[in-house]
Amino acid sequence: MRGAGLFDRSCRTLQRILLALGMGVVPALPAQAQTILPDPVAGVEVEMGSQAGLEAWVTAFRTRALAAGVSAATFDAALRGVEFNPKVVERDRNQNEFSKTIWDYLDTAVSDDRVALGLKAIDRNQALLERIEAEFGVEKEVVAAVWGLESAYGTYRGDLPVLGSLATLAYEGRRGAFFEAELISALRIVEGGHVERFSGSWAGASGHTQFMPSSWEKFAVDFDGDGKRNLWGDDPADALASTANYLRHWGWTKGQPWGLEVKLPAEFDHEQTTERVVKPVGDWQAMGVRTVGGEDLPDHGPGSILLPGGHRGAAFLIWPNFQVIEKYNTADAYVVAIGSLSDRLAGRAGIQSGWPREFRALTLEERRALQEGLGRAGFDPGGVDGRMGPKTVAAVKAFQKARGMVPDGYPSLEVLEALR
Ligand code: CA
């Protein structure tokens, strides 16, 4: 699931924001789906499909769905009257246009309101969350944090018919094969009688913790014992247990922090700040890294130093649980938000350091200009696509080093200006 650079992960994830109860943002990328999404081809006009086109597609798809084990009765009942949704296609095509800085994202993702609502949600579901924690080994505050970011603790689960969104996206083409497979999974949900009809995000993620149908197939559990794996009802038991099951599957280690805010020494080698450099805590300690409060680092095994907002922002020592949260959503900002929200729900401090708020996020056009500039300067960014992937981040680091700037790899306006 990995492979994207820190900045483009934020971009891909954060631009589609839903207001949740007017109190914050919920990143709307489908859980577990976003990392396989290629970027849109910016500036290319592609003709939009139509209702008639969708219906013809459904007719052809029927054979494939039945071959995949969906019954004719389920297929016909579920997709009768399915509607082409042009808005879904627009969202799909434009999803890389906007971006947000991590600090703007965290302001709403881990707002005091979301913390307060989370504490109430934990209080209301204390026994359930404790049973889930005992059975799956995932702390209740972590499960609650995913719940809080994905659906504002169940209050905003998405209101688009999942079958219609998936059929539209499967038919419409850009990532047809992926969405067709999701649609078949969604039909299996209906076939099994787990839910009659269900709504979700434009990309087909649904339920309290925004599972894609394929993740429902692999990871959903019937925790309340009613025979259904129901992620969509008002009772969050199945959804929260499924989330814990998902995190456990990907290797969650109970008791290990996702990360810890740290302070780097003045002379720190910023080329070491990447998830790719993993060292024993003792090595970081020897290099002068301390907790943000100036204390010795706790030893939770080998970890990495991450600067999700560049060297002027908060620094974190992250452990493998960070990568487990990435299985939900690969954006650094998302993972830090889950981690920080879970810390606050557990009564620990939030992020102490400031952020370089004078930097705004680069637009898609600026990200492409940055890549072009890197190429001209002799630093291969791995293409000009607006994605701040690992090659671009490495090129930014190399450029910064050559110019005597701090090589944090952060594609800031400052770097763009230096390239112009
Ligand atoms: Ca159930």
Side-chain angles (χ1 to χ4, degrees):
M1 298 288 296
R2 301 305 325 286
L6 56 96
F7 196 71
D8 94 278
R9 284 189 264 139
S10 303
C11 295
R12 276 185 293 153
T13 309
L14 304 181
Q15 52 346 54
R16 293 176 304 97
I17 328 160
L18 301 175
L19 283 174
L21 293 179
M23 61 96 188
V25 293
V26 176
L29 262 189
Q32 312 95 29
Q34 74 288 353
T35 49
I36 57 123
L37 309 186
D39 286 304
V41 183
V44 176
E45 293 290 323
V46 183
E47 245 179 71
M48 179 81 78
S50 64
Q51 178 67 29
L54 174 65
E55 285 167 13
W57 180 86
V58 167
T59 303
F61 167 59
R62 190 176 187 276
T63 310
R64 301 194 292 277
L66 267 51
V70 177
S71 76
T74 295
F75 186 94
D76 295 339
L79 291 183
R80 185 176 299 127
V82 68
E83 287 181 8
F84 179 72
N85 188 342
K87 291 216 166 81
V88 164
V89 178
E90 273 167 32
R91 295 295 291 273
D92 184 46
R93 287 185 183 171
N94 293 325
Q95 60 172 317
N96 207 24
E97 293 292 334
F98 310 103
S99 62
K100 232 176 195 295
T101 58
I102 185 171
W103 47 94
D104 283 341
Y105 177 66
L106 290 171
D107 283 349
T108 43
V110 195
S111 65
D112 289 345
D113 283 347
R114 202 182 301 264
V115 173
L117 283 175
L119 292 171
K120 281 183 199 153
I122 290 174
D123 196 46
R124 273 198 314 277
N125 296 280
Q126 189 82 25
L128 168 67
L129 286 163
E130 278 170 6
R131 276 197 299 132
I132 289 172
E133 179 169 329
E135 180 155 341
F136 298 95
V138 182
E139 289 85 344
K140 62 180 182 295
E141 295 85 2
V142 173
V143 173
V146 174
W147 192 21
L149 277 193
E150 293 294 337
S151 71
Y153 311 100
T155 54
Y156 192 93
R157 294 172 237 163
D159 52 10
L160 294 172
V162 168
L163 293 173
S165 298
L166 292 176
T168 295
L169 292 167
Y171 148 60
E172 231 285 338
R174 203 165 64 78
R175 289 171 286 142
F178 167 73
F179 285 111
E180 179 168 319
E182 292 294 333
L183 179 56
I184 288 174
S185 293
L187 289 167
R188 291 204 185 103
I189 294 172
V190 178
E191 179 120 45
H194 298 276
V195 70
E196 266 185 43
R197 52 190 67 240
F198 52 120
S199 300
S201 77
W202 67 270
S206 65
H208 286 265
T209 51
Q210 297 288 285
F211 264 41
M212 289 299 284
S214 58
S215 290
W216 174 88
E217 285 208 285
K218 294 189 199 92
F219 302 110
V221 295
D222 171 23
F223 200 65
D224 63 6
D226 69 351
K228 313 287 186 199
R229 297 188 283 155
N230 186 343
L231 313 182
W232 306 276
D234 288 335
D235 180 350
D238 286 4
L240 298 183
S242 299
T243 297
N245 189 41
Y246 184 86
L247 295 173
R248 176 176 72 172
H249 172 85
W250 291 112
W252 186 265
T253 302
K254 192 177 173 186
Q256 180 188 70
W258 64 278
L260 179 72
E261 192 180 352
V262 293
K263 204 160 59 180
L264 305 182
E267 301 300 305
F268 193 73
D269 173 9
H270 281 78
E271 287 192 90
Q272 307 286 316
T273 60
T274 161
E275 277 183 74
R276 294 176 175 192
V277 174
V278 180
K279 293 182 191 293
V281 164
D283 287 14
W284 296 121
Q285 174 81 20
M287 290 168 73
V289 180
R290 297 292 181 272
T291 72
V292 73
E295 290 156 1
D296 287 348
L297 300 174
D299 193 354
H300 294 282
S304 307
I305 301 289
L306 188 73
L307 297 177
H311 70 282
R312 293 188 180 89
F316 301 91
L317 173 55
I318 59 171
W319 283 283
N321 277 347
F322 188 96
Q323 277 90 26
V324 176
I325 301 171
E326 284 181 332
K327 296 295 185 183
Y328 229 97
N329 189 316
T330 54
D332 284 341
Y334 179 87
V335 180
V336 171
I338 293 287
S340 181
L341 181 55
S342 70
D343 282 344
R344 298 222 19 217
L345 293 175
R348 294 187 288 271
I351 296 167
Q352 309 290 302
S353 305
W355 298 99
R357 289 179 183 270
E358 67 276 18
F359 289 150
R360 60 171 173 79
L362 299 189
T363 64
L364 176 60
E365 199 182 326
E366 287 170 337
R367 299 198 299 275
R368 294 159 73 100
L370 180 108
Q371 290 172 319
E372 277 165 5
L374 286 167
R376 277 198 307 274
F379 303 94
D380 178 16
V384 178
D385 55 5
R387 297 181 56 199
M388 303 291 100
K391 275 196 158 171
T392 299
V393 170
V396 168
K397 279 193 178 209
F399 171 76
Q400 288 170 321
K401 201 178 176 200
R403 285 295 183 93
M405 301 164 80
V406 176
D408 60 10
Y410 187 68
S412 64
L413 267 178
E414 192 178 32
V415 172
L416 179 61
E417 292 304 326
L419 280 163
R420 276 179 165 158

